[in-house]
């Protein structure tokens, strides 16, 4: 199966040589080819180039006329909790009335509220609800997603979530990475016995998850009011013994030590990082751990933004993710994340695009196959409506500009437009 995409406005994020990620000043470099063509063979990017180099193809090959639209590598979203039951708009209203995220959690709302809803929802129904979100993020241009457990908080319910994630991996064209997050919150039953819950995670949950090979990574919410550095260390060590590399929640609510602990345990990424100072930056430099920012969460909760500019100026790489979840970021729209990166974190559009493609692919262990237009990588792409520049994408922050989504070389989503007559 071959397909040629022609009549493009621009190919964006073209990397002749694949690089693992981009950091510091290089984050402002976004290679493009104007009016380029792109050839897909058997689900893989087989060639691309400027218009004068376009080979002549037989009529047998499928031609996709981009109508002047821009071609991007599909978004990689390296941090989501999109498998959940129901929703929490009641807490959203409580927040508007003045309660904080932590106050809601302390009243048994928040993560524990979602855990109760998840417990009461049969696996099939959980899958159905999650698939609505999966189909939505595909239509928004996401091609690879990391999904966490963490609303189970019992062995049985954590396994239920992870099985739903596995089914999404099997039944959809998305590339999926799964993460075990038993240490998302201390369940009510263990409120006065925290170490008992950590014992349960280490002695029962991790071995059960590993024996069914249900998770690629392990996560802990290492923050004030959730899990301490010592608890995190214990859980990550146990995860490592079972082949799960850390990707952790850190420094969302305080200078919690989570960043340093993540780096110490060789985390693939540390995520949130609203509270990042000089010490945290020093720990991250040269570490191989991708700092991953979730601007949708700070935006939705009205909380502190991380010092993104300072981090880039110190030479760090940055990835961004949606954090799609019912409590702090009920949106998986990565185009909006790009806008929030530019508007709230003061990233240049080039830096923001690198953060949601190349660097995001690295943050989920996919930099060999995803995150750029490179020969040999998976043909995961989206084509926009006709736009005047790539900066227009984050600028037009409320417009849905993704017109066609191609995953594994197949068109999986398309919305009609009348480009030809425009
Ligand atoms: O990434 N910070 C921890 N966990 C999620 C929120 C989960 C929830 O509120 O349901 C997050 O923001
Ligand atoms: Fe999260």
């Amino acid at each position: 199966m071959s397909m040629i995409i022609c009549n493009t406005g621009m190919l964006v994020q073209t990397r002749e040589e694949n690089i693992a990620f981009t950091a510091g000043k290089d984050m402002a470099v976004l290679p493009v080819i104007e009016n380029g063509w792109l050839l897909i063979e058997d689900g893989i990017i087989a060639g691309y180039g400027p218009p004068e180099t376009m080979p002549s193809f037989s009529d047998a090959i499928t031609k996709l006329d981009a109508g002047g639209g821009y071609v991007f590598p599909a978004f990689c979203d390296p941090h989501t909790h999109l498998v959940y039951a129901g929703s929490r708009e009641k807490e959203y209203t409580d927040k508007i009335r003045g309660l904080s995220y932590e106050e809601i959690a302390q009243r048994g709302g928040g993560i524990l509220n979602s855990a109760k809803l998840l417990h009461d929802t049969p696996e099939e129904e959980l899958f159905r609800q999650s698939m609505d979100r999966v189909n939505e993020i595909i239509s928004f241009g996401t091609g690879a997603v990391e999904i966490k457990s963490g609303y189970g908080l019992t062995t049985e319910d954590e396994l239920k979530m992870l099985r739903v994630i596995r089914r999404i991996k099997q039944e959809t064209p998305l590339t999926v990475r799964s993460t075990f997050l038993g240490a998302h919150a201390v369940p009510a039953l263990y409120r006065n016995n925290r170490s008992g819950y950590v014992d349960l995670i280490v002695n029962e949950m991790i071995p059960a998850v590993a024996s069914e090979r249900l998770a690629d990574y392990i996560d802990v919410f290492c923050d004030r009011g959730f899990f301490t550095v010592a608890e995190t260390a214990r859980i990550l060590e146990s995860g490592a013994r079972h082949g799960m590399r850390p990707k952790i929640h850190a420094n969302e609510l305080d200078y919690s030590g989570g960043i340093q602990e993540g780096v110490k345990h060789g985390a693939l990424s540390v995520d949130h990082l609203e509270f990042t100072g000089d010490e945290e930056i020093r720990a991250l430099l040269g570490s191989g751990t991708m700092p991953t920012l979730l601007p949708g969460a700070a935006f939705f909760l009205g909380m502190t933004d991380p010092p993104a500019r300072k981090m880039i100026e110190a030479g760090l790489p940055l990835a961004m993710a949606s954090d799609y979840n019912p409590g702090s970021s009920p949106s998986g729209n990565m185009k909006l994340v790009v806008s929030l990166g530019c508007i709230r974190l003061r990233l240049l559009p080039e830096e923001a695009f690198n953060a949601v493609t190349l660097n995001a692919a690295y943050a989920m262990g996919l930099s060999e196959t995803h995150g750029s237009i490179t020969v040999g990588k998976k043909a995961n792409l989206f084509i926009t409506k006709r736009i005047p520049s790539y900066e227009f994408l984050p600028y037009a922050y409320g417009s849905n500009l993704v017109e066609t989504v191609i995953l594994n070389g197949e068109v999986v989503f398309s919305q009609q437009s009348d480009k030809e007559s425009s």
Side-chain angles (χ1 to χ4, degrees), residues 51-113:
E52 61 279 10
T53 65
M54 183 158 131
S56 48
F57 291 101
S58 83
D59 285 346
I61 191 169
T62 310
K63 293 195 179 60
L64 201 161
D65 185 335
Y70 281 36
V71 182
F72 286 78
F75 295 124
C76 295
D77 189 348
H79 179 138
T80 82
H81 311 246
L82 71 74
V83 170
Y84 60 83
S87 54
R88 304 208 320 248
E89 63 277 17
K90 167 95 181 45
E91 293 173 12
Y92 166 70
T93 323
D94 288 342
K95 252 174 258 143
I96 295 169
R97 292 187 204 278
L99 283 188
S100 74
Y101 182 75
E102 285 167 289
E103 282 163 345
I104 290 169
Q106 276 150 15
R107 292 177 174 205
I111 295 166
L112 298 187
N113 185 3

Side-chain angles (χ1 to χ4, degrees), residues 252-324:
E252 176 186 7
L253 306 171
D254 204 354
Y255 294 97
S256 62
I259 294 179
Q260 291 89 328
E261 202 57 26
V263 170
K264 193 166 136 198
H265 290 268
L268 182 56
S269 72
V270 287
D271 304 18
H272 272 293
L273 318 188
E274 281 78 2
F275 291 85
T276 298
D278 294 338
E279 221 177 290
E280 285 76 12
I281 289 176
R282 264 197 304 279
L284 283 163
L285 278 169
S287 66
T289 297
M290 180 61 69
T292 299
L293 309 185
L294 316 171
F299 168 69
F300 183 79
L301 297 177
M303 286 166 65
T304 319
D305 282 311
R309 283 253 58 88
K310 184 173 168 178
M311 295 167 84
I312 291 181
E313 274 145 32
L316 287 176
L318 290 181
M320 290 195 294
S322 72
D323 199 15
Y324 199 172

Side-chain angles (χ1 to χ4, degrees), residues 79-81 148 181 184 219 249 272 294 323 325 328:
H79 179 138
T80 82
H81 311 246
K148 300 172 191 297
L181 175 56
H184 199 189
D219 192 349
H249 283 75
H272 272 293
L294 316 171
D323 199 15
N325 77 73
S328 68

Side-chain angles (χ1 to χ4, degrees), residues 15-51:
R15 301 272 177 177
E16 227 171 290
E17 297 290 329
N18 188 38
I19 52 171
F21 59 80
T22 165
K25 283 192 181 62
D26 292 343
M27 280 199 68
V29 178
L30 184 69
V32 302
I33 296 179
E34 269 183 58
N35 306 124
W37 56 274
L38 187 146
L39 176 68
I40 298 171
E41 271 169 7
D42 299 322
I44 302 292
I45 298 171
Y48 65 87

